[in-house]
Each structure stands twice: as C-alpha cells, then as structure tokens.
Amino acid sequence: MSNATSTQLVRSTVATSWRWMWPDLLMRIIPMSLVPLLYIAFFHLPLSFLGLALTQVPLHLFVGLLVGIGMAIFAIFYRMYVVGPWFRWPTASDQCFQSFFYLCINAPVEELFFRGFLLAIVTQWTGWLGWGWLVSTAVYTLYHRLGKWNWRSVGGVGLAGIVFSLVYLLLPGPHSLLAVTLVHGFTTSGFLSWGDEALYRTWKRRIPRAEAVQK
C-alpha cells in the first residue's frame, strides 16, 4: 500500500479486488446468508422475524440516505485521520465494483445476520431487547478482528455499529432492514473504498509540497 509520504502509487483494479472478494463470498457471505434463513425455516418463522419487511418505505429510504451520507463522510475522515494514511487508489471500474459489493452484497448480508438474526434471537432467548442490542453490537464489532483489522479500525466499527442498531430499532413500525442496510452500505463504502479516493487526493496535493521542501 502507499502512504502520504511516498511517491510510489499502488493502483487497485477489479482483478485486485476480485482476488480477495471471491473467497470472501464463499467463506463469509454465503454462510452468513444461509444461517438466518435456515433458522426461520426450521422454526417456521416469518421473514419479518429477520427484519425482511417493507415498513414505511419512503421514511426508511429518506433516513437511510440521509444518515448513510453522513456516516460515509464520517467514515472517510475516520479512515484518513484516525486509522492512518495507507491506501490503494482504485481505478474507476474498481471503485464501481467495490461500491457494488459493499452496498448491494456485504451490507445486506451483514445486516441480515447481525441486526435481523442475532439481535432477534438473543432478544427471543433472553426476553429483553437490551441484551439483543448489546450482544449483536459487540459481536459485530469484535468479529472484524477475525479479518485482522487493527483496534483503531475496530473502534470505528463499534461506533458505526451503535448507529446501525439505533437506526434499526428506533424507526417506527415493525423492524425493517431497509434503512440500516443503506446506512451500512454507505458507511462501509466510505471507509473501505471512497476513503481511498479521498486519501489519494490528499496525497496528490502533498507530493509537490514535499518535493519543494526537498529542493
């Protein structure tokens, strides 16, 4: 990876992203999708148990987009100023490819598992929503350590997880994953994809200054 003090730039391409993405689909995305669906099939529960319901769609779209854009901006700045300057600059096609994955695959699956499934079953088993919120948020935060994320990144995940849970739980009507999935997708894209573009732009502005100082 490049950093803000290096003149060597590493580009990220679709092929680069696909090399880590296809094993992730097999080992994480597919199992996390199947477990909740198998659970409700085995216990004959409705899809709404997992938050798979369209509740007040205009409101959820509005909240999802509004909070999602705000969280994307927060994630970009957190990536730049808390996590560190290392980045790979995606090509335009890779930026679209990554954004599609984070918005349309990763976010729906993680929300289905952590908010729709884990929060629901812990609440069902314990009889208290507080335990469902606490366990699902903690597990969501700490599971990122399995991907060898550093603790500064995990801290950002924890903050984001609190926001995700609040969006899921506080909107009126039966719980729906629509708004929180949008928020999650924007946040992850900001942190893992769009943040690279912001870091590149910052790096590009600093290079002439560093070269001028060296002269």
Side-chain angles (χ1 to χ4, degrees), residues 11-14 16-18 20-21 79 88-106 185 188-189 191-196:
R11 297 302 302 269
S12 172
T13 66
V14 171
T16 306
S17 294
W18 181 244
W20 64 259
M21 202 176 287
R79 168 81 181 278
R88 288 182 182 272
W89 182 35
T91 61
S93 57
D94 190 40
Q95 192 72 265
C96 293
F97 186 55
Q98 289 185 30
S99 297
F100 174 81
F101 177 78
Y102 295 132
L103 287 164
C104 301
I105 298 176
N106 182 76
T188 304
S189 295
F191 188 75
L192 293 179
S193 185
W194 304 338
D196 283 320

Side-chain angles (χ1 to χ4, degrees), residues 58-71:
L59 175 63
H60 276 251
L61 288 174
F62 175 76
V63 171
L65 291 172
L66 182 65
V67 178
I69 291 170
M71 286 297 293

Side-chain angles (χ1 to χ4, degrees), residues 2-159:
S2 299
N3 61 54
T5 61
S6 172
T7 58
Q8 183 181 5
L9 181 64
V10 178
R11 297 302 302 269
S12 172
T13 66
V14 171
T16 306
S17 294
W18 181 244
R19 279 198 294 270
W20 64 259
M21 202 176 287
W22 74 262
D24 191 51
L25 289 168
L26 294 177
M27 295 185 291
R28 186 178 66 93
I29 295 296
I30 292 176
M32 288 178 69
S33 303
L34 290 177
V35 168
L37 297 175
L38 290 173
Y39 182 87
I40 64 169
F42 184 80
F43 289 103
H44 305 288
L45 298 169
L47 289 172
S48 58
F49 179 83
L50 299 174
L52 296 174
L54 295 177
T55 304
Q56 300 191 40
V57 173
L59 175 63
H60 276 251
L61 288 174
F62 175 76
V63 171
L65 291 172
L66 182 65
V67 178
I69 291 170
M71 286 297 293
I73 294 171
F74 165 78
I76 290 171
F77 279 93
Y78 190 93
R79 168 81 181 278
M80 293 174 67
Y81 298 109
V82 178
V83 174
W86 296 274
F87 68 95
R88 288 182 182 272
W89 182 35
T91 61
S93 57
D94 190 40
Q95 192 72 265
C96 293
F97 186 55
Q98 289 185 30
S99 297
F100 174 81
F101 177 78
Y102 295 132
L103 287 164
C104 301
I105 298 176
N106 182 76
V109 169
E110 287 195 345
E111 285 308 314
L112 174 67
F113 187 86
F114 289 104
R115 249 63 62 183
F117 173 63
L118 189 58
L119 188 151
I121 63 170
V122 173
T123 300
Q124 183 185 55
W125 294 343
T126 64
W128 186 46
L129 180 62
W131 281 119
W133 170 80
L134 181 62
V135 171
S136 62
T137 302
V139 173
Y140 169 72
T141 300
L142 294 175
Y143 114 101
H144 285 78
R145 284 290 291 171
L146 297 176
K148 298 181 180 180
W149 287 34
N150 62 46
W151 283 107
R152 284 176 295 179
S153 298
V154 171
V157 170
L159 294 174

Side-chain angles (χ1 to χ4, degrees), residues 160-171:
I162 293 172
V163 175
F164 299 163
S165 295
L166 291 175
V167 169
Y168 181 63
L169 294 174
L170 295 182
L171 283 174

